[in-house]
Amino acid sequence: MIRPLSKPARVALLILLGAALSLTGGCEQRRKPVLDQIIERGKLRVVTRYGPITYYRNRGSDTGFEYELARRFAKKLGVELEISIAYSRDELLDALRKGKADIAAAGIIKDGQPAGIYFGPDYLSVRQFVVRRRGVNPADGPEDIVGKRVLVVAGSTQEKALNELLPAHPGLSWERANRLETLDLLEAVELGQVDYTVVNSNEYTAHRGVYPYLRVAFAVGEPQQLAWAIRDHPSNYGLRFQIDRFFDQLRESGRMASIIERYYGHREPKSQYQSQAFLNRMRSILPEYRELIEQIALEYEVDWRLIAAVAYQESHWDPKARSPTGVRGMMMLTRDTAREMGVTNRTDAEQSLRGGTRYLKKLLAKLPDEIPMPDRLWFALASYNMGYGHVLDLWNLARRENRNPYRWNEVKDLLPTLRQEKVYSTLRYGYARGDEALKYVQNIRYYHDLLAFTEINTVRVPPPKKAEDYIPERFNRQRMLSAF
């Protein structure tokens, strides 16, 4: 026979049931889909790293390859983007596990399956490069770096790559440091503080212009893929679906190729002399004209570094420059263009810079409205170099081949064909040195990036005290960039 509970027992039971229901409700709240939480708070929290191909502040604006992808994804979700910074792979993934971020977007190598972490679709293939200083420490393989000073970030994918070499090379050793960026590692090699470091190939590509004396010794491991990371939990299934769909749409629409072109398409190797000559003139000549360039850029609402890069490509910042074809001045204006832009003295630096900037703005405005930035700028620069008519020919040529004429990455390889008789004879404006126009645009983009690199110094956090054995107090690239 079941006896009824006494009143005290009933009260105790009710208290226990209430507590259980409260706990259950709390669990349900915690299990609320992350995508719903993002929409409700109106913010997508993304953790990343500082760097020219991840995220940095560019004269008050955010930029970087990973930032561009994250910005587009947040816009797709209809929410704001909130950026936080980590300084290692472990910190990035830990931010996800602790719920401090929704996504880690920082050029993370899709390596294994870390506990509690899910990787999204691949979007870029990279290698691990062992980097040395030119002229010293030649190395063709792991056996050549045994007994040498090698510096990597503790717990990084690069350290894992070295660990995998140990069975075949038991004498291999390296030094580990925390919270260092790729810039710190490359600087340590350039200063001779260590013999080698190991970095991702895409990061080396992004930085090599600033370090023209560094060289790739050899690659370790197999090609690996970069991907975003999120917490691996049932509450994240909706976010996983949206990320997968987002990258699929980027690829299918061709926008991913355009974004990769924007950040990587102009970074083909430059000669040591070319990079070093630019850096030397940036220190010695540019300071004389920088204030003037900034003033003119402000008047015409353009990036001063773009005008500086164009002026360097045209004349190496020489106001008296003159070509065999008769173009003259810092912006190398023709007589007709100078007259059109109101320039009476082409060798006057201010007149030339102002006239060239005005002409570039005119070309930008002349382009069809449906061409977005930054492709719009690349076509305007090509027009500045070879004439707008030849750009019209380029677009017609692209249409013949069923390419999108207004996407730079789809048509840039057609530029060299404008020299070929079988091609230019079928076009309205005829022969053009399209290969030179292509090089012209790529060089300006390259020089602009070297100038923009100085902005990274304003947002990077100094290495912690325990890293000072490797990176001294003077590490801030002001030795190289003192003019800025």
Side-chain angles (χ1 to χ4, degrees):
M1 180 178 177
I2 300 176
R3 295 181 179 178
L5 292 174
S6 65
K7 184 175 181 180
R10 289 198 302 273
V11 171
L13 180 60
L14 288 173
I15 291 173
L16 288 173
L17 287 172
L21 289 171
S22 175
L23 287 174
T24 302
C27 290
E28 289 301 322
Q29 178 64 27
R30 287 194 294 273
R31 283 197 292 266
K32 189 172 188 176
V34 172
L35 186 60
D36 290 351
Q37 297 178 38
I38 293 170
I39 301 302
E40 286 181 6
R41 84 169 78 99
K43 287 184 180 180
L44 175 69
R45 302 172 303 164
V46 172
V47 61
T48 187
R49 295 166 46 228
Y50 281 131
I53 55 172
T54 48
Y55 164 78
Y56 68 101
R57 296 284 293 174
N58 182 2
R59 295 187 70 81
S61 299
D62 296 329
T63 189
F65 178 76
E66 295 291 346
Y67 172 81
E68 177 70 15
L69 292 176
R71 182 190 65 79
R72 288 171 177 264
F73 185 59
K75 183 178 180 180
K76 181 178 185 295
L77 296 181
V79 298
E80 295 180 3
L81 177 62
E82 181 179 277
I83 294 288
S84 61
I85 301 300
Y87 294 91
S88 70
R89 176 186 172 93
D90 287 344
E91 286 187 31
L92 288 163
L93 302 186
D94 194 48
L96 297 177
R97 296 187 183 104
K98 292 181 177 179
K100 295 179 179 179
D102 305 310
I103 297 173
I108 303 173
I109 288 180
K110 195 173 182 176
D111 184 21
Q113 190 64 47
I117 298 298
Y118 168 82
F119 288 114
D122 307 342
Y123 56 82
L124 200 65
S125 180
V126 300
R127 298 290 304 274
Q128 299 300 320
F129 282 171
V130 176
V131 178
R132 64 179 179 88
R133 181 177 170 83
R134 184 182 69 88
V136 296
N137 301 319
D140 297 319
E143 64 279 0
D144 296 322
I145 65 174
V146 172
K148 302 290 187 178
R149 291 192 71 187
V150 181
L151 175 65
V152 295
V153 174
S156 63
T157 304
Q158 290 73 36
E159 183 175 27
K160 181 177 180 181
L162 294 177
N163 270 312
E164 292 174 351
L165 297 175
L166 282 176
H169 306 278
L172 182 63
S173 63
W174 54 89
E175 300 167 27
R176 313 166 76 241
N178 294 304
R179 295 173 63 86
L180 294 189
E181 296 289 351
T182 300
L183 300 172
D184 304 315
L185 300 173
L186 297 177
E187 184 84 357
V189 176
E190 176 158 298
L191 293 177
Q193 296 170 322
V194 297
D195 301 315
Y196 305 95
T197 189
V198 187
V199 298
N200 285 356
S201 56
N202 64 319
E203 294 187 320
Y204 171 77
T205 298
H207 294 90
R208 64 186 168 198
V210 182
Y211 302 107
Y213 289 107
L214 298 186
R215 296 289 183 271
V216 175
F218 57 92
V220 295
E222 297 299 320
Q224 295 173 295
Q225 305 300 317
L226 301 186
W228 282 0
I230 63 174
R231 186 183 174 207
D232 188 13
H233 189 273
S235 64
N236 252 339
Y237 287 160
L239 182 60
R240 284 173 55 170
F241 173 79
Q242 290 295 335
I243 291 173
D244 291 349
R245 185 180 179 190
F246 170 69
F247 278 99
D248 285 344
Q249 290 174 342
L250 280 182
R251 290 193 189 92
E252 291 170 3
S253 67
R255 287 193 294 270
M256 176 59 85
S258 295
I259 297 170
I260 292 174
E261 157 64 30
R262 176 178 182 179
Y263 289 94
Y264 293 101
H266 59 294
R267 298 183 185 273
E268 54 275 297
K270 299 288 186 293
S271 71
Q272 173 200 336
Y273 173 80
Q274 186 177 3
S275 295
Q276 194 60 49
F278 177 82
L279 294 173
N280 289 340
R281 288 183 173 90
M282 189 172 70
R283 292 193 302 267
S284 60
I285 298 176
L286 183 56
E288 180 181 352
Y289 300 105
R290 175 169 173 172
E291 185 176 348
L292 175 61
I293 293 172
E294 287 185 328
Q295 175 189 333
I296 293 170
L298 186 63
E299 290 175 16
Y300 289 94
E301 299 181 325
V302 295
D303 185 346
W304 76 266
R305 291 159 305 185
L306 170 64
I307 303 307
V310 173
Y312 181 82
Q313 173 64 25
E314 291 287 356
S315 66
H316 289 186
W317 298 316
D318 177 6
K320 306 299 182 184
R322 183 172 187 168
S323 80
T325 59
V327 294
R328 300 187 67 180
M330 192 173 283
M331 297 291 274
M332 297 297 271
L333 302 176
T334 65
R335 291 182 186 275
D336 290 343
T337 300
R339 188 180 304 111
E340 181 184 355
M341 296 297 110
V343 175
T344 58
N345 182 359
R346 288 183 291 166
T347 60
D348 178 82
E350 182 174 355
Q351 286 197 44
S352 183
L353 286 165
R354 184 167 275 106
T357 303
R358 188 183 299 123
Y359 183 56
L360 182 58
K361 286 281 288 186
K362 178 182 177 181
L363 291 170
L364 279 165
K366 192 175 184 178
L367 294 168
D369 292 340
E370 54 266 43
I371 304 179
M373 292 292 280
D375 298 61
R376 190 177 192 83
L377 179 57
W378 313 152
F379 285 119
L381 290 171
S383 299
Y384 192 106
N385 177 257
M386 67 178 183
Y388 185 71
H390 295 301
V391 171
L392 293 176
D393 280 348
L394 176 68
W395 292 338
N396 287 329
L397 185 60
R399 291 186 184 98
R400 292 180 194 175
E401 299 195 11
N402 294 316
R403 304 189 190 191
N404 186 331
Y406 297 153
R407 284 200 180 137
W408 179 256
N409 66 294
E410 290 196 31
V411 303
K412 67 177 185 176
D413 64 307
L414 295 176
L415 278 163
T417 68
L418 298 181
R419 276 185 178 270
Q420 300 172 9
E421 183 178 3
K422 65 179 181 180
V423 175
Y424 71 72
S425 61
T426 68
L427 299 171
R428 178 179 179 182
Y429 293 93
Y431 173 87
R433 295 194 295 271
D435 52 338
E436 293 182 11
L438 175 59
K439 184 177 180 181
Y440 177 88
V441 175
Q442 305 298 68
N443 282 351
I444 289 172
R445 295 173 63 184
Y446 178 77
Y447 298 138
H448 175 274
D449 279 5
L450 289 184
L451 291 167
F453 176 83
T454 61
E455 298 294 332
I456 299 175
N457 289 328
T458 66
V459 296
R460 295 183 62 251
V461 176
K465 295 297 181 183
K466 57 187 172 183
E468 285 185 355
D469 289 341
Y470 306 118
I471 310 297
E473 231 17 87
R474 73 179 184 274
F475 168 69
N476 58 13
R477 275 164 302 286
Q478 294 306 315
R479 173 181 58 80
M480 181 189 307
L481 304 169
S482 56
F484 295 82

